[in-house]
Amino acid sequence: MAFRHRREYDESVPRALRAARDSYDAATSEYEEAIARARREWAAALATAIEAGMSYQEIADEVGVSHTSISRAIKQYGSD
């Protein structure tokens, strides 16, 4: 009963809805790929800094992250 008085619509409405969803899905995919790439680059930079002799504390002071965040990033993303 709730839709008894709804207006009629033509095929352009569902077509526009599907196009918007496709656009959303594409943008989400691009975003997720960019974030994954940035995380890998971040982990690689952290690993390089540690290999160069920086301590976790020096890195934490330099970029404002915790020791735990540094360790987690290297463990999760640095082993590619």
Side-chain angles (χ1 to χ4, degrees):
M1 290 274 181
F3 299 111
R4 184 173 62 185
H5 300 292
R6 74 177 183 183
R7 296 182 357 202
E8 292 293 322
Y9 58 87
D10 61 20
E11 181 56 31
S12 68
V13 173
R15 193 171 37 247
L17 186 60
R18 287 189 301 270
R21 179 57 196 231
D22 290 345
S23 177
Y24 172 83
D25 288 345
T28 299
S29 178
E30 290 174 16
Y31 167 80
E32 289 172 351
E33 290 172 16
I35 290 296
R37 185 173 43 255
R39 285 180 175 148
R40 286 189 303 272
E41 291 169 359
W42 168 237
L46 289 169
T48 298
I50 290 170
E51 289 171 2
M54 284 186 86
S55 69
Y56 274 39
Q57 187 60 51
E58 290 173 313
I59 295 169
D61 291 344
E62 187 68 31
V63 294
V65 297
S66 69
H67 294 212
T68 304
S69 295
I70 296 166
S71 179
R72 184 180 313 121
I74 292 170
K75 287 176 184 173
Q76 286 181 330
Y77 306 104
S79 60
D80 286 352

Coordinates of all heavy atoms in Angstrom, one line a residue:
M1 N 0.8 -1.2 0.0 CA 0.0 0.0 0.0 C 0.9 1.3 0.0 O 0.4 2.3 -0.5 CB -0.9 0.0 1.2 CG -2.0 -1.0 1.2 SD -3.3 -0.3 0.3 CE -4.5 -1.6 0.4
A2 N 2.0 1.2 0.5 CA 2.9 2.4 0.6 C 3.2 3.0 -0.7 O 3.5 4.2 -0.8 CB 4.1 2.1 1.4
F3 N 3.2 2.2 -1.8 CA 3.7 2.6 -3.1 C 2.5 2.9 -4.0 O 2.6 3.1 -5.2 CB 4.6 1.6 -3.7 CG 5.9 1.4 -2.9 CD1 6.1 0.2 -2.2 CD2 6.8 2.5 -2.8 CE1 7.2 0.1 -1.5 CE2 7.9 2.3 -2.0 CZ 8.2 1.1 -1.4
R4 N 1.3 2.9 -3.5 CA 0.1 3.0 -4.3 C 0.1 4.3 -5.1 O -0.4 4.3 -6.2 CB -1.1 2.9 -3.4 CG -2.4 3.0 -4.1 CD -3.6 2.7 -3.2 NE -3.6 3.8 -2.2 CZ -4.5 3.8 -1.2 NH1 -5.3 2.8 -1.1 NH2 -4.5 4.8 -0.4
H5 N 0.6 5.4 -4.5 CA 0.6 6.7 -5.2 C 1.9 7.1 -5.8 O 2.1 8.3 -6.1 CB 0.1 7.7 -4.2 CG -1.3 7.5 -3.6 ND1 -2.4 7.5 -4.4 CD2 -1.7 7.1 -2.4 CE1 -3.4 7.2 -3.7 NE2 -3.0 6.9 -2.4
R6 N 2.8 6.2 -5.9 CA 4.1 6.6 -6.5 C 3.9 7.0 -8.0 O 3.1 6.4 -8.7 CB 5.1 5.5 -6.3 CG 5.0 4.4 -7.2 CD 6.1 3.4 -6.9 NE 6.0 2.3 -7.9 CZ 6.7 1.2 -7.9 NH1 7.7 1.1 -7.0 NH2 6.5 0.3 -8.8
R7 N 4.8 7.8 -8.4 CA 4.8 8.2 -9.8 C 5.4 7.1 -10.7 O 6.2 6.3 -10.2 CB 5.7 9.5 -10.0 CG 5.2 10.7 -9.3 CD 6.1 11.9 -9.5 NE 7.3 11.7 -10.3 CZ 8.3 12.4 -10.2 NH1 8.4 13.5 -9.4 NH2 9.4 12.2 -11.0
E8 N 5.0 7.2 -11.9 CA 5.6 6.2 -12.9 C 7.0 6.7 -13.3 O 7.2 7.9 -13.3 CB 4.7 6.2 -14.1 CG 3.4 5.5 -13.9 CD 3.5 4.0 -13.6 OE1 4.3 3.4 -14.2 OE2 2.7 3.6 -12.7
Y9 N 7.9 5.8 -13.6 CA 9.2 6.2 -14.1 C 9.5 5.4 -15.3 O 9.0 4.3 -15.5 CB 10.3 6.1 -13.0 CG 10.4 4.7 -12.5 CD1 11.2 3.7 -13.1 CD2 9.7 4.3 -11.3 CE1 11.3 2.5 -12.6 CE2 9.8 3.0 -10.8 CZ 10.6 2.1 -11.5 OH 10.8 0.8 -11.0
D10 N 10.4 6.0 -16.2 CA 10.8 5.2 -17.4 C 12.1 4.5 -17.1 O 12.7 4.6 -16.0 CB 10.9 6.2 -18.6 CG 11.9 7.3 -18.4 OD1 12.8 7.1 -17.5 OD2 11.8 8.3 -19.1
E11 N 12.6 3.8 -18.1 CA 13.8 3.0 -18.0 C 15.1 3.9 -17.6 O 16.1 3.4 -17.1 CB 14.1 2.2 -19.2 CG 15.3 1.3 -19.2 CD 15.3 0.3 -18.1 OE1 14.2 -0.1 -17.6 OE2 16.4 0.0 -17.6
S12 N 15.0 5.2 -17.8 CA 16.2 6.0 -17.6 C 16.5 6.1 -16.1 O 17.7 6.2 -15.7 CB 16.0 7.4 -18.1 OG 15.0 8.1 -17.4
V13 N 15.5 5.9 -15.2 CA 15.8 6.0 -13.8 C 16.6 4.7 -13.3 O 17.6 4.9 -12.7 CB 14.4 6.1 -13.0 CG1 14.7 6.0 -11.5 CG2 13.8 7.4 -13.3
P14 N 16.1 3.5 -13.6 CA 17.0 2.4 -13.2 C 18.3 2.4 -13.9 O 19.3 2.0 -13.3 CB 16.2 1.1 -13.6 CG 14.8 1.6 -13.9 CD 14.9 3.1 -14.2
R15 N 18.4 2.8 -15.2 CA 19.6 2.9 -15.9 C 20.6 3.8 -15.2 O 21.8 3.5 -15.0 CB 19.4 3.3 -17.4 CG 20.5 3.1 -18.3 CD 20.2 3.3 -19.8 NE 19.2 4.4 -20.0 CZ 18.0 4.2 -20.5 NH1 17.6 3.0 -20.8 NH2 17.2 5.2 -20.7
A16 N 20.1 5.0 -14.8 CA 20.9 6.0 -14.1 C 21.4 5.4 -12.7 O 22.5 5.6 -12.3 CB 20.2 7.3 -13.9
L17 N 20.5 4.7 -12.1 CA 20.8 4.1 -10.8 C 22.0 3.0 -11.0 O 22.9 3.0 -10.2 CB 19.6 3.4 -10.2 CG 19.7 2.8 -8.8 CD1 20.1 3.9 -7.8 CD2 18.4 2.2 -8.4
R18 N 21.9 2.2 -12.0 CA 22.9 1.2 -12.2 C 24.2 1.9 -12.6 O 25.3 1.4 -12.2 CB 22.5 0.2 -13.3 CG 21.4 -0.8 -12.8 CD 21.1 -1.8 -13.9 NE 20.7 -1.3 -15.1 CZ 19.4 -1.1 -15.5 NH1 18.4 -1.4 -14.6 NH2 19.1 -0.7 -16.7
A19 N 24.2 2.9 -13.4 CA 25.4 3.7 -13.8 C 26.0 4.3 -12.6 O 27.3 4.3 -12.4 CB 25.0 4.7 -14.8
A20 N 25.2 4.8 -11.7 CA 25.8 5.4 -10.5 C 26.5 4.4 -9.6 O 27.5 4.6 -9.0 CB 24.7 6.2 -9.7
R21 N 25.8 3.2 -9.5 CA 26.4 2.1 -8.7 C 27.7 1.6 -9.4 O 28.7 1.4 -8.7 CB 25.4 0.9 -8.6 CG 26.0 -0.3 -7.8 CD 26.4 0.2 -6.4 NE 27.3 -0.8 -5.8 CZ 27.1 -1.3 -4.6 NH1 26.0 -0.9 -3.9 NH2 27.9 -2.2 -4.1
D22 N 27.8 1.5 -10.7 CA 29.0 1.1 -11.4 C 30.1 2.1 -11.1 O 31.3 1.8 -10.9 CB 28.8 1.0 -12.9 CG 27.9 -0.2 -13.2 OD1 27.7 -1.1 -12.3 OD2 27.4 -0.3 -14.3
S23 N 29.8 3.4 -11.1 CA 30.7 4.5 -10.9 C 31.2 4.4 -9.4 O 32.5 4.5 -9.2 CB 30.1 5.8 -11.1 OG 31.0 6.9 -10.8
Y24 N 30.3 4.2 -8.5 CA 30.7 4.0 -7.1 C 31.7 2.8 -6.9 O 32.7 2.9 -6.2 CB 29.4 3.8 -6.3 CG 29.7 3.5 -4.8 CD1 30.0 4.5 -3.9 CD2 29.7 2.2 -4.4 CE1 30.3 4.1 -2.6 CE2 29.9 1.8 -3.1 CZ 30.2 2.8 -2.2 OH 30.5 2.5 -0.9
D25 N 31.3 1.7 -7.5 CA 32.2 0.5 -7.4 C 33.5 0.7 -8.0 O 34.6 0.3 -7.4 CB 31.5 -0.7 -8.1 CG 30.3 -1.2 -7.3 OD1 30.1 -0.9 -6.1 OD2 29.5 -2.0 -7.9
A26 N 33.6 1.4 -9.1 CA 34.9 1.7 -9.7 C 35.8 2.6 -8.8 O 36.9 2.4 -8.6 CB 34.7 2.3 -11.1
A27 N 35.1 3.6 -8.3 CA 35.8 4.6 -7.4 C 36.3 3.9 -6.2 O 37.4 4.1 -5.7 CB 35.0 5.8 -7.1
T28 N 35.5 3.0 -5.6 CA 35.9 2.3 -4.4 C 37.1 1.4 -4.7 O 38.0 1.3 -3.9 CB 34.7 1.5 -3.9 OG1 33.6 2.4 -3.6 CG2 35.0 0.7 -2.7
S29 N 37.0 0.7 -5.8 CA 38.1 -0.2 -6.2 C 39.4 0.6 -6.4 O 40.5 0.2 -5.9 CB 37.8 -0.9 -7.5 OG 38.9 -1.7 -7.9
E30 N 39.4 1.8 -7.0 CA 40.6 2.6 -7.2 C 41.1 3.1 -5.8 O 42.3 3.1 -5.6 CB 40.2 3.8 -8.1 CG 40.0 3.5 -9.5 CD 39.5 4.7 -10.3 OE1 39.7 5.8 -9.8 OE2 39.0 4.5 -11.4
Y31 N 40.2 3.5 -5.0 CA 40.6 3.9 -3.6 C 41.3 2.8 -2.9 O 42.4 3.0 -2.3 CB 39.4 4.4 -2.9 CG 39.6 4.6 -1.4 CD1 40.2 5.7 -0.9 CD2 39.2 3.6 -0.5 CE1 40.4 5.9 0.5 CE2 39.4 3.7 0.9 CZ 40.0 4.9 1.4 OH 40.2 5.0 2.7
E32 N 40.7 1.6 -2.9 CA 41.3 0.5 -2.2 C 42.7 0.1 -2.7 O 43.6 -0.2 -1.9 CB 40.3 -0.7 -2.2 CG 39.1 -0.5 -1.3 CD 38.0 -1.6 -1.5 OE1 38.2 -2.4 -2.4 OE2 37.1 -1.5 -0.7
E33 N 42.8 0.2 -4.0 CA 44.1 -0.1 -4.6 C 45.1 0.9 -4.2 O 46.3 0.6 -3.9 CB 44.0 -0.2 -6.1 CG 43.2 -1.4 -6.6 CD 43.0 -1.4 -8.1 OE1 43.6 -0.5 -8.8 OE2 42.1 -2.1 -8.6
A34 N 44.7 2.2 -4.2 CA 45.6 3.3 -3.8 C 46.0 3.2 -2.4 O 47.2 3.4 -2.0 CB 45.0 4.6 -4.1
I35 N 45.1 2.8 -1.5 CA 45.4 2.7 -0.1 C 46.4 1.5 0.1 O 47.4 1.6 0.9 CB 44.2 2.5 0.8 CG1 43.4 3.8 0.8 CG2 44.4 2.0 2.2 CD1 44.1 4.9 1.5
A36 N 46.1 0.4 -0.6 CA 47.0 -0.8 -0.4 C 48.4 -0.5 -0.9 O 49.4 -0.8 -0.3 CB 46.5 -2.0 -1.2
R37 N 48.5 0.3 -2.0 CA 49.8 0.7 -2.5 C 50.5 1.6 -1.5 O 51.7 1.4 -1.2 CB 49.7 1.4 -3.9 CG 50.9 1.8 -4.6 CD 50.7 2.3 -6.0 NE 49.6 3.2 -6.1 CZ 48.4 3.0 -6.7 NH1 48.2 1.8 -7.1 NH2 47.5 3.9 -6.7
A38 N 49.8 2.6 -1.0 CA 50.4 3.5 0.0 C 50.8 2.7 1.3 O 51.9 3.1 1.8 CB 49.4 4.6 0.4
R39 N 50.1 1.8 1.7 CA 50.5 1.0 2.9 C 51.8 0.2 2.6 O 52.6 0.1 3.5 CB 49.4 0.0 3.3 CG 48.2 0.7 4.0 CD 47.1 -0.3 4.4 NE 46.1 0.4 5.1 CZ 44.8 0.1 5.1 NH1 44.4 -0.9 4.4 NH2 44.0 0.8 5.8
R40 N 51.9 -0.4 1.4 CA 53.1 -1.1 1.1 C 54.3 -0.2 1.0 O 55.4 -0.5 1.5 CB 52.9 -1.8 -0.3 CG 52.0 -3.1 -0.2 CD 52.1 -3.9 -1.5 NE 51.7 -3.1 -2.7 CZ 50.5 -3.0 -3.1 NH1 49.5 -3.5 -2.5 NH2 50.2 -2.3 -4.2
E41 N 54.1 1.0 0.5 CA 55.2 2.0 0.4 C 55.6 2.5 1.8 O 56.7 2.7 2.1 CB 54.8 3.2 -0.5 CG 54.6 2.8 -2.0 CD 54.0 3.9 -2.8 OE1 53.6 4.9 -2.3 OE2 53.8 3.6 -4.0
W42 N 54.6 2.7 2.6 CA 54.8 3.1 4.0 C 55.6 2.1 4.8 O 56.6 2.3 5.4 CB 53.5 3.4 4.7 CG 53.5 3.5 6.2 CD1 52.7 2.8 7.1 CD2 54.2 4.5 7.0 NE1 52.9 3.2 8.3 CE2 53.8 4.3 8.3 CE3 55.0 5.5 6.7 CZ2 54.3 5.1 9.3 CZ3 55.5 6.3 7.7 CH2 55.2 6.1 9.0
A43 N 55.2 0.8 4.6 CA 56.0 -0.3 5.3 C 57.4 -0.4 4.8 O 58.3 -0.6 5.5 CB 55.2 -1.6 5.1
A44 N 57.5 -0.2 3.5 CA 58.9 -0.3 2.9 C 59.7 0.8 3.4 O 60.9 0.6 3.7 CB 58.8 -0.3 1.3
A45 N 59.2 2.0 3.5 CA 60.0 3.1 4.0 C 60.3 2.9 5.5 O 61.5 3.2 5.9 CB 59.1 4.4 3.9
L46 N 59.4 2.3 6.3 CA 59.7 2.0 7.7 C 60.8 1.0 7.7 O 61.8 1.1 8.5 CB 58.5 1.5 8.4 CG 57.4 2.5 8.7 CD1 56.1 1.8 9.1 CD2 57.9 3.5 9.7
A47 N 60.7 -0.1 7.0 CA 61.8 -1.1 7.0 C 63.1 -0.6 6.5 O 64.1 -0.9 7.1 CB 61.3 -2.3 6.0
T48 N 63.1 0.3 5.6 CA 64.4 0.9 5.1 C 65.0 1.8 6.2 O 66.2 1.8 6.4 CB 64.1 1.8 3.8 OG1 63.6 0.9 2.8 CG2 65.4 2.5 3.4
A49 N 64.1 2.5 6.9 CA 64.6 3.4 8.0 C 65.3 2.5 9.1 O 66.3 2.8 9.6 CB 63.5 4.2 8.6
I50 N 64.6 1.4 9.4 CA 65.2 0.5 10.4 C 66.5 -0.1 10.0 O 67.5 -0.2 10.7 CB 64.1 -0.5 10.9 CG1 63.0 0.1 11.6 CG2 64.7 -1.7 11.7 CD1 61.8 -0.7 11.9
E51 N 66.5 -0.6 8.7 CA 67.7 -1.2 8.2 C 68.9 -0.1 8.1 O 70.0 -0.5 8.2 CB 67.5 -1.7 6.8 CG 66.6 -3.0 6.8 CD 66.2 -3.4 5.4 OE1 66.5 -2.7 4.4 OE2 65.4 -4.4 5.3
A52 N 68.5 1.1 8.0 CA 69.5 2.2 7.9 C 70.0 2.5 9.3 O 71.0 3.3 9.5 CB 69.0 3.5 7.3
G53 N 69.4 2.0 10.4 CA 69.9 2.2 11.7 C 69.0 3.1 12.6 O 69.3 3.3 13.8
M54 N 67.9 3.5 12.1 CA 67.0 4.3 13.0 C 66.3 3.4 14.0 O 65.9 2.3 13.6 CB 65.9 5.0 12.1 CG 66.4 6.3 11.4 SD 65.0 7.1 10.6 CE 64.4 8.2 11.9
S55 N 66.1 3.9 15.2 CA 65.4 3.1 16.2 C 63.9 3.4 16.0 O 63.5 4.4 15.4 CB 65.8 3.5 17.6 OG 65.4 4.9 17.8
Y56 N 63.1 2.5 16.6 CA 61.6 2.7 16.6 C 61.3 4.1 17.2 O 60.4 4.8 16.7 CB 60.9 1.6 17.4 CG 60.6 0.4 16.6 CD1 61.5 -0.1 15.6 CD2 59.4 -0.3 16.7 CE1 61.2 -1.3 14.9 CE2 59.1 -1.4 16.0 CZ 60.0 -1.9 15.1 OH 59.7 -3.0 14.4
Q57 N 62.0 4.4 18.3 CA 61.7 5.7 18.9 C 62.1 6.9 18.0 O 61.3 7.9 17.9 CB 62.5 5.9 20.2 CG 62.2 7.1 21.0 CD 60.7 7.1 21.4 OE1 60.2 6.1 22.0 NE2 60.0 8.2 21.1
E58 N 63.2 6.8 17.3 CA 63.5 7.9 16.3 C 62.4 8.0 15.2 O 62.0 9.1 14.9 CB 64.9 7.7 15.7 CG 66.0 7.8 16.6 CD 67.3 7.4 16.0 OE1 67.4 6.3 15.4 OE2 68.3 8.1 16.2
I59 N 62.0 6.9 14.7 CA 60.9 6.9 13.7 C 59.6 7.5 14.3 O 59.0 8.4 13.7 CB 60.7 5.5 13.1 CG1 61.9 5.0 12.4 CG2 59.4 5.5 12.2 CD1 61.9 3.5 12.0
A60 N 59.3 7.0 15.5 CA 58.1 7.5 16.2 C 58.1 9.0 16.4 O 57.2 9.8 16.1 CB 57.9 6.8 17.5
D61 N 59.3 9.5 16.8 CA 59.4 11.0 17.0 C 59.4 11.7 15.7 O 58.8 12.8 15.6 CB 60.8 11.3 17.7 CG 60.8 10.8 19.1 OD1 59.8 10.5 19.7 OD2 62.0 10.7 19.6
E62 N 59.9 11.1 14.6 CA 60.0 11.8 13.3 C 58.6 11.9 12.7 O 58.3 12.9 12.1 CB 60.9 11.0 12.4 CG 61.2 11.7 11.1 CD 62.0 13.0 11.2 OE1 62.9 13.1 12.1 OE2 61.8 13.8 10.3
V63 N 57.8 10.9 12.7 CA 56.6 10.9 12.0 C 55.3 10.8 12.8 O 54.2 10.8 12.3 CB 56.5 9.7 10.9 CG1 57.6 10.0 9.8 CG2 56.7 8.4 11.5
G64 N 55.5 10.7 14.1 CA 54.3 10.8 15.0 C 53.5 9.6 15.1 O 52.2 9.7 15.1
V65 N 54.1 8.4 15.1 CA 53.3 7.2 15.2 C 53.9 6.4 16.4 O 55.0 6.6 16.8 CB 53.3 6.3 13.9 CG1 52.7 7.0 12.7 CG2 54.8 5.9 13.5
S66 N 53.1 5.4 16.8 CA 53.5 4.6 17.9 C 54.5 3.5 17.5 O 54.5 3.1 16.3 CB 52.3 4.0 18.7 OG 51.7 3.0 17.9
H67 N 55.2 2.9 18.4 CA 56.0 1.7 18.1 C 55.2 0.6 17.6 O 55.6 -0.1 16.7 CB 56.8 1.3 19.4 CG 57.8 2.3 19.9 ND1 58.9 1.9 20.6 CD2 57.8 3.6 19.9 CE1 59.6 2.9 20.9 NE2 58.9 4.0 20.5
T68 N 54.0 0.4 18.2 CA 53.1 -0.6 17.8 C 52.7 -0.4 16.3 O 52.6 -1.4 15.5 CB 51.9 -0.7 18.7 OG1 52.3 -0.8 20.0 CG2 50.9 -1.8 18.3
S69 N 52.4 0.8 15.9 CA 52.0 1.0 14.5 C 53.1 0.7 13.6 O 52.9 0.2 12.5 CB 51.6 2.5 14.4 OG 50.4 2.8 15.1
I70 N 54.3 1.1 14.0 CA 55.5 0.8 13.1 C 55.6 -0.7 12.9 O 55.7 -1.2 11.8 CB 56.8 1.4 13.7 CG1 56.7 2.9 13.8 CG2 58.0 0.9 13.0 CD1 57.7 3.6 14.7
S71 N 55.6 -1.4 14.0 CA 55.8 -2.9 14.0 C 54.7 -3.6 13.2 O 54.9 -4.4 12.4 CB 55.8 -3.4 15.4 OG 55.9 -4.8 15.4
R72 N 53.4 -3.1 13.4 CA 52.3 -3.7 12.7 C 52.4 -3.5 11.2 O 52.1 -4.4 10.4 CB 51.0 -3.1 13.2 CG 49.7 -3.8 12.6 CD 48.4 -3.2 13.1 NE 48.4 -3.1 14.5 CZ 48.2 -1.9 15.2 NH1 48.0 -0.8 14.6 NH2 48.1 -1.9 16.5
A73 N 52.8 -2.3 10.8 CA 52.9 -1.9 9.4 C 53.9 -2.8 8.7 O 53.7 -3.3 7.6 CB 53.2 -0.5 9.2
I74 N 55.0 -3.0 9.4 CA 56.1 -3.8 8.8 C 55.7 -5.3 8.7 O 55.9 -5.9 7.7 CB 57.4 -3.7 9.6 CG1 58.0 -2.2 9.4 CG2 58.4 -4.7 9.2 CD1 59.1 -1.9 10.4
K75 N 55.0 -5.8 9.7 CA 54.6 -7.2 9.7 C 53.5 -7.4 8.7 O 53.5 -8.4 8.0 CB 54.1 -7.6 11.1 CG 55.2 -7.8 12.1 CD 54.6 -8.1 13.5 CE 55.8 -8.2 14.5 NZ 55.2 -8.3 15.9
Q76 N 52.5 -6.5 8.6 CA 51.4 -6.7 7.7 C 51.7 -6.4 6.3 O 51.2 -7.1 5.4 CB 50.2 -5.8 8.1 CG 49.5 -6.3 9.4 CD 48.3 -5.4 9.7 OE1 48.3 -4.2 9.5 NE2 47.3 -6.0 10.4
Y77 N 52.5 -5.4 6.0 CA 52.7 -4.9 4.6 C 54.1 -5.0 4.1 O 54.3 -4.8 2.9 CB 52.1 -3.5 4.5 CG 50.7 -3.4 5.0 CD1 50.4 -2.8 6.2 CD2 49.7 -3.9 4.2 CE1 49.1 -2.7 6.6 CE2 48.4 -3.8 4.7 CZ 48.1 -3.2 5.9 OH 46.8 -3.1 6.3
G78 N 55.0 -5.2 5.0 CA 56.4 -5.2 4.6 C 57.0 -6.5 4.1 O 58.1 -6.6 3.7
S79 N 56.2 -7.5 4.1 CA 56.7 -8.8 3.6 C 56.3 -9.2 2.2 O 56.2 -10.4 1.9 CB 56.2 -9.9 4.6 OG 54.8 -9.9 4.7
D80 N 55.9 -8.2 1.4 CA 55.6 -8.5 0.0 C 56.7 -8.9 -0.8 O 57.8 -8.5 -0.8 CB 54.9 -7.3 -0.6 CG 53.5 -7.1 -0.1 OD1 53.0 -8.0 0.7 OD2 52.9 -6.0 -0.4

